[in-house]
Amino acid sequence: MDWNEDGMLDIVVGGRYGNIEHYRATDVSDTYPTLTDAGYIQASGSNIDVGYNSAPVVVDWDEDGLHDLLVGSQGNYYGGDASVFLYLNEGSTGNPQFGDYTEISCGGTVIDSYRVVPDVADLSLDGKKDLILGEYQGYVEYYENTGTNEDPQFSDMEQLTYDYGSSYIDHSNTRATIHDWNEDGLLDLVCGCYSGNMIVYLGYEVRVGEETSAPAGRIAGISVQSPSYGTAPVKLNLNGSSNVDLQVYDTSGRLVENRALGRLETGGHSIPLDLSGEPAGMYVVVCTTESARMTDRTVLLR
């Protein structure tokens, strides 16, 4: 994102020790920009420090046309510390300046989930920004905005779920973002996690009579156990009945397995995957339905 509004894309990144660093682009004449370490971002004259594991997202929180910072943190596993901090920009376009932070609350109580990574998106499709938090245990928390787009307020939290009801994303340290991954006009959920995998859960429409909506928390996708030691279940979640094909590739692009699974019904499926005859390494698992192509990977150990 263009932090200083000079027409070049910069990087704003958190770190283990709670600070936020700005890497400023200085040259975009080549394929990749040249970046300069512009130092830690400050608030009230000191480096921003949210404790441990800062996770910033740049957003115009109060709709004044300036870059604000919403920062996730480790918080405190045993409760008591806030885990999402808001720094409103008191500077100007191209020159962000910050004062004191605000702790984000839900229903009057400060949010204190452990090791959270925030994202902001209009998941309820009502024209207002909502709050999405990936967290340590492998869940994705969804806070619907009950205030306004200029002054977001939150009164309740729910966990995003697979279509068949599970809210666990299968991997700890979830890093979640909402994005139209397959460009079908519906919001999808893209998750990173502790194992190093990236998992995509595709959103879909729900039709009731003549009305159509894309409800929050309705996602589909695959996940594969990693690491594995020869066998690994492929967890497949479908948002509708479909013919499904499964392929497995090694890192050289060699097709290891090509299996037609036939027609599977809506909901969760566990498909056994046997790689016991293959050498150790990373394998990419691809499930293709009539409307989507979903991938995950597993590392085979010996």
Side-chain angles (χ1 to χ4, degrees):
M1 55 80 53
D2 188 359
W3 177 250
N4 56 346
E5 300 287 349
D6 63 355
M8 295 183 286
L9 295 179
D10 309 307
I11 295 177
V12 175
V13 62
R16 170 63 178 164
Y17 297 105
N19 304 123
I20 301 173
E21 200 157 1
H22 171 210
Y23 291 89
R24 179 171 54 86
T26 57
D27 183 6
V28 292
S29 58
D30 297 323
T31 303
Y32 299 101
T34 300
L35 295 171
T36 298
D37 187 349
Y40 294 114
I41 295 175
Q42 295 191 334
S44 298
S46 300
N47 295 339
I48 289 177
D49 183 355
V50 296
Y52 285 98
N53 294 312
S54 55
V57 60
V58 179
V59 58
D60 184 1
W61 187 259
D62 54 0
E63 297 295 322
D64 64 353
L66 302 177
H67 294 319
D68 305 314
L69 280 173
L70 189 67
V71 188
S73 73
Q74 180 164 309
N76 186 336
Y77 187 74
Y78 301 102
D81 286 352
S83 56
V84 189
F85 300 85
L86 172 65
Y87 292 85
L88 290 176
N89 190 345
E90 300 173 355
S92 59
T93 301
N95 184 30
Q97 302 289 327
F98 301 96
D100 291 338
Y101 62 80
T102 301
E103 299 171 346
I104 300 297
S105 298
C106 177
T109 302
V110 171
I111 296 173
D112 64 351
S113 298
Y114 183 59
R115 195 173 289 184
V116 300
V117 177
D119 190 31
V120 175
D122 181 12
L123 198 56
S124 55
L125 302 181
D126 62 356
K128 300 182 293 186
K129 59 177 72 72
D130 304 313
L131 177 63
I132 296 92
L133 299 179
E135 56 86 63
Y136 176 74
Q137 297 183 81
Y139 299 96
V140 179
E141 299 177 353
Y142 164 57
Y143 297 82
E144 183 177 356
N145 184 357
T146 55
T148 66
N149 201 36
E150 297 78 12
D151 183 23
Q153 301 292 324
F154 310 102
S155 58
D156 194 18
M157 184 274 286
E158 62 180 289
Q159 292 170 339
L160 296 187
T161 62
Y162 295 142
D163 181 63
Y164 69 101
S166 174
S167 57
Y168 183 53
I169 302 300
D170 299 317
H171 302 274
S172 62
N173 288 323
T174 304
R175 276 82 178 106
T177 186
I178 302 297
H179 178 72
D180 185 1
W181 180 260
N182 57 350
E183 297 187 350
D184 63 353
L186 300 174
L187 294 177
D188 308 311
L189 175 66
V190 182
C191 288
C193 52
Y194 179 78
S195 66
N197 292 332
M198 293 292 295
I199 309 172
V200 179
Y201 302 91
L202 297 178
Y204 65 94
E205 291 183 332
V206 172
R207 297 179 181 272
V208 181
E210 296 181 355
E211 296 183 359
T212 302
S213 63
R218 300 300 238 172
I219 51 182
I222 65 169
S223 64
V224 186
Q225 175 184 308
S226 183
S228 61
Y229 297 87
T231 59
V234 178
K235 295 182 180 180
L236 174 64
N237 308 286
L238 295 180
N239 55 26
S241 175
S242 176
N243 289 310
V244 180
D245 295 323
L246 181 144
Q247 294 88 31
V248 182
Y249 299 87
D250 65 14
T251 53
S252 70
R254 177 176 65 94
L255 182 62
V256 173
E257 183 170 350
N258 187 10
R259 194 191 324 171
L261 302 179
R263 192 162 196 85
L264 300 181
E265 297 303 315
T266 301
H269 304 270
S270 182
I271 302 162
L273 178 63
D274 187 359
L275 298 174
S276 57
E278 299 296 330
M282 187 181 74
Y283 293 83
V284 178
V285 180
V286 180
C287 277
T288 305
T289 71
E290 294 167 4
S291 60
R293 185 173 185 268
M294 300 170 285
T295 66
D296 197 8
R297 66 181 182 177
T298 183
V299 176
L300 176 62
L301 300 180
R302 294 297 186 190

